[in-house]
Amino acid sequence: MNRVCAVVVTYNRKDLLERCINAVRSQTASVGGILVVNNGSTDGTGDWLDSQKDIRTIHQGNVGGSGGFNRGAIEAVKLGYDAVWMMDDDGYPDSSALEELLKFSNLGSCVLNSVVVDKESMKLSFPLWNLGERLNHYEDVSVLHQDCILGVINPFNGTLIPSKIIELIGPPYGDMFIWGDEVEYFFRMRKFSVPVVTVTKSLLFHPLAKEVEGEDWTDGISWRKYYSTRNRYRVFKAMNLGLPGIRFTKFVALLMLEILSIQKSKRFSKLVMIFGAYVHAIMGNYGLLPAEVWCLKPFLGKKN
């Protein structure tokens, strides 16, 4: 992989974006180019990006992380880079993250990922699995004494994807907005028998996942749940296990039972929202922005 393009998707997090970009610039391995997809930021991000001579910027409306990674992946491949190194603006790579990933590029055509950790606690921002065991802390990874973990990654968080793989399986879907697009892409990789590898000495620092299992959803979590639920239908399709419609229906039914048993606030609105996500998934209604989804109004505030 001679030329790597770092693709960063951003929306209204200028300070975090600057931190991420500076970390990319400080890599011990050469980064061939930096491409930032700015999803309509209104906090001065656009002006700052335009002032940076070493950054290629795409300015577009806020179409979510999925729309950003879709556009960034397509553009990086068009520009002729050998690989795309994908991340969000709220994460940033350790100085040797790319160098450690590139040590495994001799494995052939595979997707390589950093271990994604919260820098303060060193807990894994998203869990990993190794031989059926759930790993929750970087210490759990360290005690394995393995240079890599095969078969698992946390996509779009320090994910190095050869351009020829993107050409083979297609770019990430651009119409899923958030929550689920990375899972769908992971299973699409597996569907095409693309090897995926987490490199244990490569670190990307990222806040812990927003959602906590078994707790009442805040409005901010609730409207995102619409997307994670709707997008799950595509995930089941990508898993290639058969009967995706039945699997999805069962998933939604169990989720609605969970709302009845655990959720305390806006319970009826949450049930309606999940049912709306189910209907939209079955009907193929993707590409909807939050303000365009009628069942999200109770969670978006008056301005929406």
Side-chain angles (χ1 to χ4, degrees), residues 106-271:
N106 60 357
L107 292 177
S109 188
C110 65
V111 175
L112 301 166
N113 215 107
S114 298
V115 178
V116 189
V117 300
D118 174 67
K119 189 168 187 178
E120 297 301 320
S121 65
M122 292 306 287
K123 292 180 179 178
L124 300 192
S125 303
F126 313 98
L128 288 171
W129 294 87
N130 181 61
L131 300 176
E133 179 184 0
R134 176 171 167 144
L135 309 177
N136 296 306
H137 196 282
Y138 189 62
E139 185 177 298
D140 299 333
V141 176
S142 300
V143 298
L144 296 175
H145 300 294
Q146 297 175 196
D147 292 331
C148 63
I149 303 174
L150 304 179
V152 294
I153 57 172
N154 293 134
F156 308 162
N157 291 285
T159 309
L160 187 64
I161 310 176
S163 295
K164 56 186 176 182
I165 288 180
I166 296 174
E167 293 173 333
L168 171 67
I169 72 175
Y173 282 120
D175 58 357
M176 295 175 73
F177 200 71
I178 57 170
W179 281 25
D181 52 310
E182 76 287 0
V183 181
E184 188 282 332
Y185 207 58
F186 169 76
F187 281 109
R188 203 189 320 168
M189 294 173 194
R190 291 183 55 176
K191 185 177 180 179
F192 280 83
S193 300
V194 173
V196 297
V197 180
T198 291
V199 178
T200 58
K201 291 183 181 179
S202 176
L203 300 181
L204 182 128
F205 303 114
H206 187 284
L208 295 172
K210 293 182 177 67
E211 183 182 359
V212 179
E213 294 180 5
E215 291 189 3
D216 192 48
W217 304 339
T218 63
D219 284 354
I221 294 295
S222 293
W223 72 262
R224 289 172 172 84
K225 273 287 188 178
Y226 162 84
Y227 287 102
S228 66
T229 302
R230 186 202 62 184
N231 295 341
R232 185 61 67 107
Y233 188 36
R234 277 190 176 164
V235 171
F236 282 126
K237 287 183 174 181
M239 290 174 71
N240 205 31
L241 297 175
L243 304 175
I246 293 176
R247 294 176 186 274
F248 180 57
T249 300
K250 180 180 179 180
F251 168 81
V252 171
L254 291 174
L255 182 56
M256 295 179 82
L257 287 174
E258 178 185 327
I259 291 173
L260 289 171
S261 62
I262 295 177
Q263 299 300 304
K264 307 299 182 184
S265 63
K266 299 184 180 179
R267 185 181 296 171
F268 178 74
S269 295
K270 290 172 181 176
L271 288 170

Side-chain angles (χ1 to χ4, degrees), residues 60-81:
Q60 62 181 18
N62 184 17
V63 289
S66 74
F69 285 120
N70 169 271
R71 183 80 182 274
I74 291 173
E75 192 66 23
V77 172
K78 283 183 179 179
L79 290 170
Y81 288 97

